[in-house]
Amino acid sequence: MKLPLSVRRGDPMVWFTGSALGTCLLLIAGLIVIVLTNGLGFFWPSALVELTLKDGSKWLGEQIRRQPIPNPGSPDHLREHRVQLKLGNRDLLGYDFKWIDEKEIASRREPADAFYVERREYGPLLGAPVLLKDGERVLAEGDAVWAALQPLVAKAEHDRAAIEQIEKHEIGEINYRIEQQRLALKRIEYREKQDGVKREAERSAVAAAVAAQEERFRGKQQELDRLLATAATTYVTFRAADGTEKELSTLDIYRIYPANQLGLGGRLAVYAGRIWEFVSADPRESNTEGGIFPAIFGTVMMVIIMSLMAVPFGVLAALYLREYAKQGPLVRIVRIAVNNLAGVPSIVFGVFGLGFFVYFVGGGIDRMFFPEALPTPTYGTGGILWASLTLALLTVPVVIVASEEALAAVPRSMREASIATGATKFQTILHVVLPAAAPGILTGLILAMARGAGEVAPLMITGVVKLAPELPLDGFFPFFHPDRKFMHLGFHIYDVGFQSPNVEAAMPMVYTTTIFLLLIIVALNLTAIVVRNRLRRKYQTSAF
Amino acid sequence: MTAVASPQDTGIRIRTEVKTQETSAGTGQSAISIENVSLSYGDNQALHDISMEIGERQVTAFIGPSGCGKSTLLRCLNRMNDLIDDVTVTGRITVRGQDIYSPATDVIEVRRRVGMVFQKSNPFPKSIYENVVYGLRIAGISDKKVLDEACERSLRGAALWDEVKDRLDESGLGLSGGQMQRLCIARAIAVEPEIILMDEPCSALDPIATLKIEELIYSLKERYTIVIVTHNLQQAARVSDRTAFFWLGRLVEYDQTPDMFTRPKDKLTEDYITGRFG
């Protein structure tokens, strides 16, 4: 039997391979679309609707979902719909999301005086401002409140920045100095215990330093009290949909907008403001509000430290394996082992990092250099250095494999040319082989970064935390604090998604954080790819 | 008298004095002397007891069918075979009296004295300038003036200067095939070797580029001893003073080129050069 021409020509294979590629692309596109739609919509200030139900109750909120009601077995299965409202006002209601069956709804309107208020605690407040007071003095009532409130909200932002400057940075610095003195005192006590010599002069120096810092602290505290007294005198009263009223200090208002009066421009402004806050601010309300800046910072920093560790080690190891080691069964076994190491589950590396880096190396450092602080660990606990080293260990096999391939791809003729002009093997490697292999080595770095930036499991036991009060890089000597714990976007996603007390509120944060994790990985990779392409152009091997 | 035959320990010789030696081909002096050389890769013997003298400032061509050992012998002359594992060389090779396989010999020094040009042109992925001065930089010379001079001299020596003098900073890989091969020759002569080994330098080039390289070989003969491996019998006949025919790892016949091509003494040689096998 003769097969049809199209089969003999191999057309089915074209379709077969094409559809495999198509499926992959579809899955990736689906992933991106789902993450983007769920994540980016979260910041959009949509209209606030007020639903009056048949029982007379009123609910004001953002409609965030509409779905058919499942009722298996009965004729109305999936016929009726229900909507989910984001109500806010958690302090008044005890919950902030509500499902409402559409058949219960008597009327629906978008009240012009509905405001969306982002505040310091309890999530957003939805309602109409009715009264603005300065102490006991009434500043504005009814519709006039909004106009009078706007400068106060701007002032509140300014005041909050001033308060944070004092609370976090200035008092933070004093606390840091006092802590240093406390450690110095412990060090003195420790040494006295060791050799029995009293060090009164040193003790009094420490005491004087502490006293000076405490004096500064009292000064700052008074400054802070004064600031608070002037900042927190104005209060605004909001009326919720059900008529209950809530008084809010203007200082606690982060953002307020009349959701149903905004034009497209106003909405875009709110949208951009929210995204900027998300990228640049610290998290609030157990990570369900505010931003993710510390997590972005921690992720990038960890990846950089990891690369700085993994690449030199990996390249050196690959150089030995490829250039110096006598190729034989032993080298083959090592190579297989390295390849397998790349496939070891990451949590295994995490456990190793905890046992080796944190307890053994970190504990050893503590015993040698910080005995006075014990039993409080300094390096003997998870920190960004140990997490980065653990990830470096995890990614070093990737770098070795890629570098080895890159070294093997440098043509033999090029090495011979160098040797024949009187270069030693070392000079050949340094001047000819490594530059020519650099693009391939960078490919290894890209793969390593892609793997390292996305790992969460090993980090959870080597130094990542839900909320890190301080960044690992700051203005205090020695500026870089490798012992500090840090936040990480991958862990942030896990934490917000699964550990949050308010799942409905946190869910969009999962998607938005995912977007930023992807963006950061893409940005890091793009940087490496640009560098690689420049090197490739420079060291392009001959086509001839 | 020889200008630069004294053994050098370190560094590189920048030849500044004018050559006083007569430059006619075939002075009769021997630049390389090969005595009873055998070579095996593991158990596989590739060269069998080869002895020959290669004349000073002559072009010597090695011909023979593929796998006959001519390239292997060539690579013995600057110890490039050291790069291959499991190679044993017995016998004696002396370059101007110095035994290059003696344990006291500095192999780096040998390779500076005996330069090499390869079958596949292999410029480094660097600029033309850096390609030429590579050997000098490796030897630790960083004086810009010396490097510039060496670069121009070598490129002129390789008949490439006029074509590239305005783009020395461009990549060596942007040149044409023939130019790249001449760049490799420039790189080899930049370190002022005494002998240049050429391993089928034209096998990947078109006839025009081949002709240029052949002209270059002819002019290089004035100053350098050249050993060339070639598959192209006409080329051997055109450029070489003496020709050696190898077959299955053995030196079958070694004679003045005209004699070899007109009156071969051995039946095998005759069969080969008349195209009956190979």
Side-chain angles (χ1 to χ4, degrees):
Chain A
M1 191 190 82
K2 206 173 169 196
L3 290 167
L5 178 64
S6 71
V7 172
R8 277 182 286 137
R9 219 165 37 197
D11 286 0
M13 195 58 190
V14 176
W15 284 101
F16 201 53
T17 49
S19 51
L21 177 67
T23 313
C24 291
L25 291 181
L26 206 66
L27 286 173
I28 293 169
L31 170 93
I32 292 172
V33 165
I34 285 181
V35 169
L36 285 183
T37 49
N38 280 289
L40 291 181
F42 174 60
F43 297 115
W44 186 252
S46 50
L48 297 179
V49 291
E50 187 184 77
L51 303 178
T52 310
L53 304 190
K54 286 177 179 155
D55 63 4
S57 61
K58 288 184 173 177
W59 303 94
L60 177 71
E62 277 182 5
Q63 181 185 323
I64 53 176
R65 223 163 308 186
R66 179 172 182 273
Q67 60 177 217
I69 304 170
N71 189 5
S74 60
D76 64 347
H77 178 52
L78 297 181
R79 291 267 173 77
E80 305 286 332
H81 284 77
R82 61 182 176 187
V83 294
Q84 190 184 26
L85 283 192
K86 182 184 181 184
L87 303 169
N89 302 357
R90 192 160 72 232
D91 45 340
L92 303 176
L93 299 166
Y95 51 86
D96 44 12
F97 290 86
K98 185 175 173 65
W99 285 103
I100 295 172
D101 291 356
E102 280 189 342
K103 63 179 178 194
E104 303 284 325
I105 299 171
S107 70
R108 165 197 287 261
R109 69 185 188 103
E110 295 186 358
D113 64 347
F115 279 72
Y116 190 104
V117 186
E118 287 170 32
R119 53 183 173 166
R120 191 168 57 83
E121 51 188 3
Y122 300 122
L125 180 95
L126 274 57
V130 288
L131 187 66
L132 181 65
K133 286 196 300 185
D134 185 356
E136 290 305 310
R137 192 165 55 90
V138 174
L139 292 179
E141 275 183 276
D143 292 344
V145 172
W146 172 229
L149 186 58
Q150 288 176 41
L152 290 177
V153 171
K155 177 175 171 292
E157 191 179 345
H158 185 254
D159 288 340
R160 271 198 310 273
I163 290 169
E164 189 192 316
Q165 171 65 25
I166 294 179
E167 268 186 347
K168 199 169 168 190
H169 298 115
E170 295 176 7
I171 295 185
E173 188 209 330
I174 293 170
N175 284 336
Y176 178 79
R177 306 264 177 239
I178 292 178
E179 173 66 13
Q180 295 300 101
Q181 294 303 328
R182 190 185 69 81
L183 286 176
L185 189 64
K186 290 198 84 170
R187 210 171 297 135
I188 294 167
E189 283 169 1
Y190 181 78
R191 275 203 231 121
E192 284 179 350
K193 218 182 286 172
Q194 295 258 301
D195 56 12
V197 182
K198 288 280 169 226
R199 292 175 164 83
E200 287 306 327
E202 290 178 34
R203 275 171 179 276
S204 55
V206 168
V210 171
Q213 292 299 336
E214 279 172 350
E215 183 55 38
R216 276 184 66 201
F217 176 73
R218 274 189 291 279
K220 287 291 166 198
Q221 190 64 48
Q222 283 166 7
E223 199 180 316
L224 185 63
D225 289 343
R226 271 200 304 279
L227 197 59
L228 279 172
T230 57
T233 57
T234 49
Y235 288 86
V236 57
T237 307
F238 289 91
R239 187 187 299 128
D242 59 358
T244 47
E245 294 195 342
K246 165 79 181 175
E247 196 179 51
L248 205 60
S249 167
T250 53
L251 190 63
D252 290 342
I253 297 177
Y254 279 71
R255 179 180 290 112
I256 175 167
Y257 60 89
N260 296 338
Q261 294 173 25
L262 284 182
L264 184 66
R267 284 185 204 279
L268 281 175
V270 172
Y271 188 72
R274 278 178 169 173
I275 288 186
W276 174 243
E277 186 197 351
F278 189 70
V279 177
S280 64
D282 287 348
R284 289 183 285 124
E285 294 241 43
S286 76
N287 295 352
T288 58
E289 303 265 335
I292 53 168
F293 177 71
I296 294 178
F297 190 88
T299 307
V300 172
M301 187 147 177
M302 189 205 69
V303 170
I304 289 173
I305 300 177
M306 177 198 81
S307 309
L308 289 180
M309 298 285 169
V311 170
F313 269 103
V315 171
L316 289 177
L319 271 179
Y320 186 81
L321 266 184
R322 178 57 63 182
E323 303 289 332
Y324 289 112
K326 193 169 157 56
Q327 305 296 320
L330 189 64
V331 166
R332 260 207 306 284
I333 289 171
V334 169
R335 206 166 274 146
I336 291 169
V338 167
N339 275 309
N340 282 331
L341 213 56
V344 169
S346 55
I347 190 73
V348 175
F349 281 99
V351 172
F352 174 79
L354 181 71
F356 180 71
F357 290 127
V358 176
Y359 292 152
F360 181 70
V361 181
I365 291 175
D366 277 359
R367 275 190 297 281
M368 272 210 277
F369 300 107
F370 306 98
E372 71 278 0
L374 287 173
T376 313
T378 311
Y379 279 91
T381 176
I384 190 163
L385 179 66
W386 302 143
S388 306
L389 284 182
T390 306
L391 280 193
L393 208 63
L394 177 91
T395 50
V396 123
V398 180
V399 179
I400 293 180
V401 171
S403 304
E404 253 211 284
E405 274 166 20
L407 292 174
V410 177
R412 185 191 174 79
S413 65
M414 217 183 265
R415 296 161 201 261
E416 284 184 339
S418 171
I419 297 275
T421 40
T424 60
K425 183 157 191 178
F426 173 71
Q427 287 170 324
T428 302
I429 289 174
L430 199 65
H431 296 291
V432 174
V433 177
L434 272 183
I441 292 171
L442 275 171
T443 305
L445 170 68
I446 292 167
L447 292 174
M449 285 200 307
R451 172 139 199 229
E455 282 296 347
V456 180
L459 302 180
M460 287 163 74
I461 48 180
T462 52
V464 135
V465 284
K466 177 189 176 76
L467 187 65
E470 291 151 320
L471 296 177
L473 204 63
D474 64 18
F476 300 126
F477 185 80
F479 310 115
F480 171 52
H481 306 275
D483 54 320
R484 281 194 187 157
K485 301 201 184 289
F486 67 109
M487 292 176 73
H488 183 270
L489 284 170
F491 181 73
H492 197 79
I493 293 171
Y494 168 75
D495 175 68
V496 169
F498 298 96
Q499 310 281 298
S500 171
N502 191 349
V503 178
E504 290 279 14
M507 199 175 58
M509 298 282 280
V510 171
Y511 291 108
T512 46
T513 313
T514 307
I515 292 175
F516 280 95
L517 179 57
L518 290 178
L519 279 180
I520 281 177
I521 293 176
V522 167
L524 286 170
N525 281 350
L526 275 184
T527 320
I529 288 171
V530 167
V531 173
R532 179 181 66 181
N533 288 351
R534 289 180 63 156
L535 282 178
R536 217 175 245 168
R537 266 200 298 283
K538 195 168 159 198
Y539 295 119
Q540 195 177 34
T541 37
S542 157
F544 169 68
Chain B
M1 55 181 266
T2 334
V4 282
S6 62
Q8 306 281 325
D9 298 318
T10 52
I12 203 99
R13 287 152 290 112
I14 301 300
R15 199 175 299 174
T16 45
E17 76 255 54
V18 179
K19 283 218 153 191
T20 51
Q21 199 177 6
E22 62 278 89
T23 51
S24 67
T27 52
Q29 276 178 297
S30 167
I32 305 173
S33 125
I34 300 167
E35 298 162 36
N36 307 104
V37 167
S38 296
L39 177 144
S40 39
Y41 299 110
D43 296 334
N44 179 14
Q45 192 165 4
L47 294 178
H48 299 267
D49 194 29
I50 291 172
S51 297
M52 62 193 287
E53 301 284 323
I54 291 171
E56 179 91 49
R57 254 168 266 170
Q58 283 191 335
V59 177
T60 305
F62 289 180
I63 60 171
S66 297
C68 69
K70 55 195 187 308
S71 285
T72 303
L73 180 64
L74 188 78
R75 295 164 70 91
C76 284
L77 303 183
N78 66 347
R79 292 187 59 176
M80 285 303 279
N81 284 328
D82 290 12
L83 302 184
I84 302 164
D85 292 337
D86 216 14
V87 168
T88 359
V89 184
T90 59
R92 206 172 120 89
I93 299 176
T94 51
V95 174
R96 285 187 170 158
Q98 188 195 2
D99 181 354
I100 62 168
Y101 277 89
S102 115
T105 305
D106 176 7
V107 61
I108 301 299
E109 183 56 33
V110 169
R111 292 189 189 131
R112 281 194 194 128
R113 293 175 61 194
V114 185
M116 187 156 186
V117 176
F118 296 83
Q119 174 177 12
K120 184 174 181 292
S121 67
N122 49 4
F124 302 127
K126 298 172 186 284
S127 68
I128 293 172
Y129 181 88
E130 286 301 326
N131 259 291
V132 176
V133 301
Y134 179 80
L136 301 175
R137 279 205 195 281
I138 287 297
I141 293 170
S142 53
D143 185 342
K144 183 88 174 79
K145 223 175 114 215
V146 175
L147 293 180
D148 285 350
E149 274 174 21
C151 177
E152 179 171 348
R153 192 189 56 237
S154 310
L155 284 171
R156 281 191 194 283
L160 190 60
W161 174 253
D162 292 330
E163 290 162 60
V164 300
K165 63 183 175 197
D166 300 322
R167 45 178 178 142
L168 293 176
D169 291 333
E170 286 176 27
S171 168
L173 298 169
L175 299 174
S176 75
Q179 287 174 324
M180 273 201 255
Q181 194 60 293
R182 277 179 282 150
L183 178 63
C184 292
I185 293 174
R187 182 175 63 193
I189 62 180
V191 294
E192 296 286 347
E194 297 154 32
I195 296 157
I196 301 173
L197 310 178
M198 296 186 174
D199 191 355
E200 299 181 42
C202 305
S203 66
L205 301 181
D206 64 64
I208 309 263
T210 302
L211 193 66
K212 276 196 174 159
I213 301 275
E214 284 178 11
E215 284 168 2
L216 178 58
I217 292 171
Y218 206 78
S219 69
L220 286 173
K221 179 165 93 159
E222 305 271 307
R223 295 180 61 181
Y224 304 99
T225 303
I226 293 171
V227 184
I228 177 168
V229 164
T230 180
H231 272 293
N232 183 334
L233 298 176
Q234 286 81 7
Q235 183 171 61
R238 282 193 298 266
V239 300
S240 70
D241 300 304
R242 307 186 82 188
T243 300
F245 171 63
F246 291 86
W247 192 67
L248 293 181
R250 288 188 168 78
L251 177 61
V252 175
E253 192 169 344
Y254 180 39
D255 208 342
Q256 299 289 337
T257 303
D259 295 342
M260 182 92 152
F261 280 91
T262 49
R263 294 180 299 276
K265 295 189 187 72
D266 196 286
K267 179 78 171 59
L268 269 172
T269 317
E270 191 182 340
D271 286 352
Y272 183 69
I273 58 179
T274 51
R276 251 168 247 157
F277 76 94

